[in-house]
Amino acid sequence: IAKGLTAGVKNRNLFPVCVGSALENKGGSFLLDMIQTYLPSPLDHPEWQGEDGATRESSADGPVACFVFKTIADPFAGQLTICRVLSGTVSGDLTLTNTNTGSKERMGNIHLMVGKEQKPLKNPAGPGAIITLAKLKETFTGDTLCDDHNKFTLEKPQLAPQLITFALSPAEKAMKTNLSRDEETGDILLSGMGQNHIEISVEKAKRRYKAEIVLNAPKVPYRETIKGFAEVQGRFKK
């Protein structure tokens, strides 16, 4: 039965459903056991598709490639970059190239996220591993890190459309911010899939960083353009 279930899941004919409750801490171990037993190994993943039509095999023996799927601003550790190893093995002494920006990033200490804690990774991480990198300067969500001699850029997943946008402002005027602003209006904009999505993000910022944020309607940038032409002659007398 186990062999048949594993084959069915791998062929996408069966989709296991596990019942649990995160709030009551029930069903977590069962879910992990199901993943370990019935879901395919990362090495069984079909070839990854690149933006330029290139492919990359999910193999520990291949060149290194990692995809950044999340970026966290930790109040103590700074920016944390969470990525999945697509191919090859990653260790702390590597320097990889960000194929989206062209910059080079040194891996340094590699950690595993266990809940809110970060635990040092002692062994090299292979395909399927979810690793956390600290203090990368020019790497953000959606970027690909890879071996400079075997470059590969993973095709980015399509994100959900932005349905609503709010302008953010600090509750206290003395509160400084280094967030990027809209070039036309000067607003700090936050977009999401709905009002609830926005409010949860603001509440998360308040809980994590003690930041009191006020939501406002964004300014509308009115533009003017030249529709006609004319010829004039003038004289400038100093």
PDB file of all heavy atoms in Angstrom, residues 15-42:
ATOM      1  N   PHE A  15      -3.526  12.908  -4.063  1.00  0.00           N
ATOM      2  CA  PHE A  15      -3.160  14.102  -3.309  1.00  0.00           C
ATOM      3  C   PHE A  15      -3.551  13.889  -1.844  1.00  0.00           C
ATOM      4  O   PHE A  15      -4.713  14.055  -1.479  1.00  0.00           O
ATOM      5  CB  PHE A  15      -3.865  15.336  -3.877  1.00  0.00           C
ATOM      6  CG  PHE A  15      -3.497  15.623  -5.304  1.00  0.00           C
ATOM      7  CD1 PHE A  15      -4.184  15.024  -6.352  1.00  0.00           C
ATOM      8  CD2 PHE A  15      -2.446  16.475  -5.600  1.00  0.00           C
ATOM      9  CE1 PHE A  15      -3.841  15.268  -7.664  1.00  0.00           C
ATOM     10  CE2 PHE A  15      -2.097  16.739  -6.920  1.00  0.00           C
ATOM     11  CZ  PHE A  15      -2.786  16.135  -7.953  1.00  0.00           C
ATOM     12  N   PRO A  16      -2.594  13.506  -0.991  1.00  0.00           N
ATOM     13  CA  PRO A  16      -2.914  13.226   0.413  1.00  0.00           C
ATOM     14  C   PRO A  16      -3.430  14.467   1.130  1.00  0.00           C
ATOM     15  O   PRO A  16      -2.987  15.591   0.863  1.00  0.00           O
ATOM     16  CB  PRO A  16      -1.564  12.789   1.001  1.00  0.00           C
ATOM     17  CG  PRO A  16      -0.726  12.428  -0.174  1.00  0.00           C
ATOM     18  CD  PRO A  16      -1.178  13.282  -1.294  1.00  0.00           C
ATOM     19  N   VAL A  17      -4.376  14.264   2.040  1.00  0.00           N
ATOM     20  CA  VAL A  17      -4.915  15.333   2.875  1.00  0.00           C
ATOM     21  C   VAL A  17      -4.723  14.937   4.326  1.00  0.00           C
ATOM     22  O   VAL A  17      -5.159  13.859   4.737  1.00  0.00           O
ATOM     23  CB  VAL A  17      -6.416  15.578   2.581  1.00  0.00           C
ATOM     24  CG1 VAL A  17      -6.963  16.641   3.523  1.00  0.00           C
ATOM     25  CG2 VAL A  17      -6.625  15.980   1.138  1.00  0.00           C
ATOM     26  N   CYS A  18      -4.054  15.776   5.101  1.00  0.00           N
ATOM     27  CA  CYS A  18      -3.811  15.508   6.520  1.00  0.00           C
ATOM     28  C   CYS A  18      -4.617  16.483   7.357  1.00  0.00           C
ATOM     29  O   CYS A  18      -4.643  17.682   7.073  1.00  0.00           O
ATOM     30  CB  CYS A  18      -2.322  15.637   6.851  1.00  0.00           C
ATOM     31  SG  CYS A  18      -1.273  14.519   5.912  1.00  0.00           S
ATOM     32  N   VAL A  19      -5.256  15.983   8.398  1.00  0.00           N
ATOM     33  CA  VAL A  19      -6.060  16.809   9.294  1.00  0.00           C
ATOM     34  C   VAL A  19      -5.238  17.140  10.533  1.00  0.00           C
ATOM     35  O   VAL A  19      -4.590  16.263  11.106  1.00  0.00           O
ATOM     36  CB  VAL A  19      -7.360  16.079   9.693  1.00  0.00           C
ATOM     37  CG1 VAL A  19      -8.177  16.946  10.637  1.00  0.00           C
ATOM     38  CG2 VAL A  19      -8.167  15.733   8.447  1.00  0.00           C
ATOM     39  N   GLY A  20      -5.245  18.403  10.924  1.00  0.00           N
ATOM     40  CA  GLY A  20      -4.499  18.800  12.115  1.00  0.00           C
ATOM     41  C   GLY A  20      -4.923  20.179  12.568  1.00  0.00           C
ATOM     42  O   GLY A  20      -5.765  20.832  11.939  1.00  0.00           O
ATOM     43  N   SER A  21      -4.333  20.624  13.659  1.00  0.00           N
ATOM     44  CA  SER A  21      -4.629  21.944  14.215  1.00  0.00           C
ATOM     45  C   SER A  21      -3.334  22.557  14.735  1.00  0.00           C
ATOM     46  O   SER A  21      -2.768  22.079  15.722  1.00  0.00           O
ATOM     47  CB  SER A  21      -5.653  21.844  15.346  1.00  0.00           C
ATOM     48  OG  SER A  21      -5.781  23.089  16.005  1.00  0.00           O
ATOM     49  N   ALA A  22      -2.869  23.606  14.051  1.00  0.00           N
ATOM     50  CA  ALA A  22      -1.666  24.290  14.508  1.00  0.00           C
ATOM     51  C   ALA A  22      -1.924  24.990  15.842  1.00  0.00           C
ATOM     52  O   ALA A  22      -1.045  25.047  16.710  1.00  0.00           O
ATOM     53  CB  ALA A  22      -1.209  25.301  13.457  1.00  0.00           C
ATOM     54  N   LEU A  23      -3.143  25.498  16.024  1.00  0.00           N
ATOM     55  CA  LEU A  23      -3.475  26.219  17.256  1.00  0.00           C
ATOM     56  C   LEU A  23      -3.390  25.312  18.479  1.00  0.00           C
ATOM     57  O   LEU A  23      -2.920  25.710  19.542  1.00  0.00           O
ATOM     58  CB  LEU A  23      -4.884  26.812  17.138  1.00  0.00           C
ATOM     59  CG  LEU A  23      -5.321  27.750  18.262  1.00  0.00           C
ATOM     60  CD1 LEU A  23      -4.426  28.970  18.330  1.00  0.00           C
ATOM     61  CD2 LEU A  23      -6.777  28.174  18.073  1.00  0.00           C
ATOM     62  N   GLU A  24      -3.819  24.042  18.312  1.00  0.00           N
ATOM     63  CA  GLU A  24      -3.791  23.098  19.427  1.00  0.00           C
ATOM     64  C   GLU A  24      -2.590  22.152  19.360  1.00  0.00           C
ATOM     65  O   GLU A  24      -2.511  21.210  20.149  1.00  0.00           O
ATOM     66  CB  GLU A  24      -5.096  22.290  19.435  1.00  0.00           C
ATOM     67  CG  GLU A  24      -6.337  23.160  19.632  1.00  0.00           C
ATOM     68  CD  GLU A  24      -7.606  22.318  19.717  1.00  0.00           C
ATOM     69  OE1 GLU A  24      -7.480  21.093  19.844  1.00  0.00           O
ATOM     70  OE2 GLU A  24      -8.704  22.901  19.653  1.00  0.00           O
ATOM     71  N   ASN A  25      -1.701  22.414  18.406  1.00  0.00           N
ATOM     72  CA  ASN A  25      -0.482  21.612  18.261  1.00  0.00           C
ATOM     73  C   ASN A  25      -0.803  20.125  18.082  1.00  0.00           C
ATOM     74  O   ASN A  25      -0.227  19.256  18.733  1.00  0.00           O
ATOM     75  CB  ASN A  25       0.440  21.804  19.480  1.00  0.00           C
ATOM     76  CG  ASN A  25       1.851  21.321  19.209  1.00  0.00           C
ATOM     77  OD1 ASN A  25       2.279  21.256  18.056  1.00  0.00           O
ATOM     78  ND2 ASN A  25       2.565  20.947  20.249  1.00  0.00           N
ATOM     79  N   LYS A  26      -1.717  19.847  17.174  1.00  0.00           N
ATOM     80  CA  LYS A  26      -2.114  18.467  16.895  1.00  0.00           C
ATOM     81  C   LYS A  26      -1.913  18.159  15.408  1.00  0.00           C
ATOM     82  O   LYS A  26      -2.225  18.983  14.559  1.00  0.00           O
ATOM     83  CB  LYS A  26      -3.584  18.238  17.263  1.00  0.00           C
ATOM     84  CG  LYS A  26      -3.874  18.350  18.748  1.00  0.00           C
ATOM     85  CD  LYS A  26      -5.348  18.117  19.037  1.00  0.00           C
ATOM     86  CE  LYS A  26      -5.639  18.208  20.531  1.00  0.00           C
ATOM     87  NZ  LYS A  26      -7.086  18.009  20.815  1.00  0.00           N
ATOM     88  N   GLY A  27      -1.402  16.983  15.140  1.00  0.00           N
ATOM     89  CA  GLY A  27      -1.269  16.524  13.765  1.00  0.00           C
ATOM     90  C   GLY A  27       0.037  16.893  13.098  1.00  0.00           C
ATOM     91  O   GLY A  27       0.274  16.486  11.953  1.00  0.00           O
ATOM     92  N   GLY A  28       0.908  17.624  13.765  1.00  0.00           N
ATOM     93  CA  GLY A  28       2.160  18.047  13.139  1.00  0.00           C
ATOM     94  C   GLY A  28       3.090  16.885  12.846  1.00  0.00           C
ATOM     95  O   GLY A  28       3.640  16.773  11.737  1.00  0.00           O
ATOM     96  N   SER A  29       3.255  15.996  13.809  1.00  0.00           N
ATOM     97  CA  SER A  29       4.142  14.841  13.612  1.00  0.00           C
ATOM     98  C   SER A  29       3.607  13.928  12.512  1.00  0.00           C
ATOM     99  O   SER A  29       4.373  13.395  11.699  1.00  0.00           O
ATOM    100  CB  SER A  29       4.280  14.062  14.927  1.00  0.00           C
ATOM    101  OG  SER A  29       4.873  14.867  15.918  1.00  0.00           O
ATOM    102  N   PHE A  30       2.285  13.760  12.474  1.00  0.00           N
ATOM    103  CA  PHE A  30       1.674  12.919  11.437  1.00  0.00           C
ATOM    104  C   PHE A  30       1.931  13.501  10.047  1.00  0.00           C
ATOM    105  O   PHE A  30       2.247  12.780   9.099  1.00  0.00           O
ATOM    106  CB  PHE A  30       0.177  12.803  11.706  1.00  0.00           C
ATOM    107  CG  PHE A  30      -0.581  12.038  10.650  1.00  0.00           C
ATOM    108  CD1 PHE A  30      -0.376  10.678  10.474  1.00  0.00           C
ATOM    109  CD2 PHE A  30      -1.487  12.680   9.827  1.00  0.00           C
ATOM    110  CE1 PHE A  30      -1.066   9.979   9.491  1.00  0.00           C
ATOM    111  CE2 PHE A  30      -2.174  11.994   8.849  1.00  0.00           C
ATOM    112  CZ  PHE A  30      -1.956  10.635   8.680  1.00  0.00           C
ATOM    113  N   LEU A  31       1.812  14.825   9.932  1.00  0.00           N
ATOM    114  CA  LEU A  31       2.055  15.495   8.657  1.00  0.00           C
ATOM    115  C   LEU A  31       3.505  15.287   8.203  1.00  0.00           C
ATOM    116  O   LEU A  31       3.776  14.966   7.047  1.00  0.00           O
ATOM    117  CB  LEU A  31       1.747  16.988   8.776  1.00  0.00           C
ATOM    118  CG  LEU A  31       2.106  17.863   7.574  1.00  0.00           C
ATOM    119  CD1 LEU A  31       1.335  17.449   6.341  1.00  0.00           C
ATOM    120  CD2 LEU A  31       1.856  19.338   7.883  1.00  0.00           C
ATOM    121  N   LEU A  32       4.457  15.460   9.118  1.00  0.00           N
ATOM    122  CA  LEU A  32       5.871  15.283   8.775  1.00  0.00           C
ATOM    123  C   LEU A  32       6.162  13.844   8.364  1.00  0.00           C
ATOM    124  O   LEU A  32       6.942  13.594   7.434  1.00  0.00           O
ATOM    125  CB  LEU A  32       6.748  15.698   9.955  1.00  0.00           C
ATOM    126  CG  LEU A  32       6.712  17.188  10.320  1.00  0.00           C
ATOM    127  CD1 LEU A  32       7.535  17.436  11.573  1.00  0.00           C
ATOM    128  CD2 LEU A  32       7.235  18.031   9.173  1.00  0.00           C
ATOM    129  N   ASP A  33       5.534  12.897   9.056  1.00  0.00           N
ATOM    130  CA  ASP A  33       5.722  11.487   8.697  1.00  0.00           C
ATOM    131  C   ASP A  33       5.176  11.208   7.298  1.00  0.00           C
ATOM    132  O   ASP A  33       5.771  10.443   6.523  1.00  0.00           O
ATOM    133  CB  ASP A  33       5.038  10.583   9.725  1.00  0.00           C
ATOM    134  CG  ASP A  33       5.753  10.591  11.062  1.00  0.00           C
ATOM    135  OD1 ASP A  33       6.937  10.975  11.087  1.00  0.00           O
ATOM    136  OD2 ASP A  33       5.135  10.220  12.076  1.00  0.00           O
ATOM    137  N   MET A  34       4.036  11.809   6.975  1.00  0.00           N
ATOM    138  CA  MET A  34       3.451  11.626   5.642  1.00  0.00           C
ATOM    139  C   MET A  34       4.371  12.192   4.558  1.00  0.00           C
ATOM    140  O   MET A  34       4.560  11.578   3.506  1.00  0.00           O
ATOM    141  CB  MET A  34       2.089  12.317   5.586  1.00  0.00           C
ATOM    142  CG  MET A  34       1.000  11.637   6.404  1.00  0.00           C
ATOM    143  SD  MET A  34       0.336  10.165   5.576  1.00  0.00           S
ATOM    144  CE  MET A  34      -0.617  10.921   4.280  1.00  0.00           C
ATOM    145  N   ILE A  35       4.938  13.372   4.832  1.00  0.00           N
ATOM    146  CA  ILE A  35       5.861  13.974   3.871  1.00  0.00           C
ATOM    147  C   ILE A  35       7.067  13.077   3.653  1.00  0.00           C
ATOM    148  O   ILE A  35       7.500  12.832   2.523  1.00  0.00           O
ATOM    149  CB  ILE A  35       6.296  15.372   4.360  1.00  0.00           C
ATOM    150  CG1 ILE A  35       5.112  16.337   4.342  1.00  0.00           C
ATOM    151  CG2 ILE A  35       7.447  15.919   3.505  1.00  0.00           C
ATOM    152  CD1 ILE A  35       5.404  17.687   4.951  1.00  0.00           C
ATOM    153  N   GLN A  36       7.619  12.565   4.756  1.00  0.00           N
ATOM    154  CA  GLN A  36       8.807  11.727   4.675  1.00  0.00           C
ATOM    155  C   GLN A  36       8.530  10.411   3.953  1.00  0.00           C
ATOM    156  O   GLN A  36       9.355   9.911   3.189  1.00  0.00           O
ATOM    157  CB  GLN A  36       9.331  11.440   6.091  1.00  0.00           C
ATOM    158  CG  GLN A  36      10.571  10.574   6.158  1.00  0.00           C
ATOM    159  CD  GLN A  36      11.808  11.278   5.633  1.00  0.00           C
ATOM    160  OE1 GLN A  36      11.847  12.498   5.612  1.00  0.00           O
ATOM    161  NE2 GLN A  36      12.792  10.525   5.201  1.00  0.00           N
ATOM    162  N   THR A  37       7.341   9.847   4.169  1.00  0.00           N
ATOM    163  CA  THR A  37       7.040   8.509   3.659  1.00  0.00           C
ATOM    164  C   THR A  37       6.511   8.517   2.231  1.00  0.00           C
ATOM    165  O   THR A  37       6.921   7.702   1.396  1.00  0.00           O
ATOM    166  CB  THR A  37       6.010   7.821   4.577  1.00  0.00           C
ATOM    167  OG1 THR A  37       6.518   7.825   5.916  1.00  0.00           O
ATOM    168  CG2 THR A  37       5.776   6.390   4.141  1.00  0.00           C
ATOM    169  N   TYR A  38       5.615   9.459   1.916  1.00  0.00           N
ATOM    170  CA  TYR A  38       4.876   9.355   0.663  1.00  0.00           C
ATOM    171  C   TYR A  38       5.236  10.388  -0.390  1.00  0.00           C
ATOM    172  O   TYR A  38       4.932  10.194  -1.569  1.00  0.00           O
ATOM    173  CB  TYR A  38       3.371   9.429   0.948  1.00  0.00           C
ATOM    174  CG  TYR A  38       2.880   8.316   1.832  1.00  0.00           C
ATOM    175  CD1 TYR A  38       2.332   8.575   3.077  1.00  0.00           C
ATOM    176  CD2 TYR A  38       2.994   6.984   1.427  1.00  0.00           C
ATOM    177  CE1 TYR A  38       1.898   7.547   3.902  1.00  0.00           C
ATOM    178  CE2 TYR A  38       2.566   5.953   2.239  1.00  0.00           C
ATOM    179  CZ  TYR A  38       2.014   6.235   3.475  1.00  0.00           C
ATOM    180  OH  TYR A  38       1.597   5.215   4.276  1.00  0.00           O
ATOM    181  N   LEU A  39       5.833  11.500  -0.014  1.00  0.00           N
ATOM    182  CA  LEU A  39       6.151  12.505  -1.016  1.00  0.00           C
ATOM    183  C   LEU A  39       7.470  12.190  -1.708  1.00  0.00           C
ATOM    184  O   LEU A  39       8.366  11.603  -1.104  1.00  0.00           O
ATOM    185  CB  LEU A  39       6.211  13.901  -0.378  1.00  0.00           C
ATOM    186  CG  LEU A  39       4.885  14.689  -0.450  1.00  0.00           C
ATOM    187  CD1 LEU A  39       3.786  13.946   0.285  1.00  0.00           C
ATOM    188  CD2 LEU A  39       5.054  16.086   0.102  1.00  0.00           C
ATOM    189  N   PRO A  40       7.617  12.559  -2.971  1.00  0.00           N
ATOM    190  CA  PRO A  40       8.835  12.223  -3.719  1.00  0.00           C
ATOM    191  C   PRO A  40      10.070  12.902  -3.139  1.00  0.00           C
ATOM    192  O   PRO A  40       9.987  13.970  -2.526  1.00  0.00           O
ATOM    193  CB  PRO A  40       8.546  12.746  -5.131  1.00  0.00           C
ATOM    194  CG  PRO A  40       7.073  12.956  -5.187  1.00  0.00           C
ATOM    195  CD  PRO A  40       6.633  13.259  -3.804  1.00  0.00           C
ATOM    196  N   SER A  41      11.200  12.292  -3.350  1.00  0.00           N
ATOM    197  CA  SER A  41      12.473  12.890  -2.969  1.00  0.00           C
ATOM    198  C   SER A  41      12.763  14.098  -3.850  1.00  0.00           C
ATOM    199  O   SER A  41      12.351  14.120  -5.014  1.00  0.00           O
ATOM    200  CB  SER A  41      13.587  11.855  -3.117  1.00  0.00           C
ATOM    201  OG  SER A  41      14.851  12.478  -3.145  1.00  0.00           O
ATOM    202  N   PRO A  42      13.463  15.113  -3.342  1.00  0.00           N
ATOM    203  CA  PRO A  42      13.860  16.242  -4.203  1.00  0.00           C
ATOM    204  C   PRO A  42      14.673  15.796  -5.416  1.00  0.00           C
ATOM    205  O   PRO A  42      14.658  16.462  -6.451  1.00  0.00           O
ATOM    206  CB  PRO A  42      14.700  17.116  -3.269  1.00  0.00           C
ATOM    207  CG  PRO A  42      14.227  16.776  -1.896  1.00  0.00           C
ATOM    208  CD  PRO A  42      13.848  15.330  -1.933  1.00  0.00           C
TER     209      PRO A  42
END
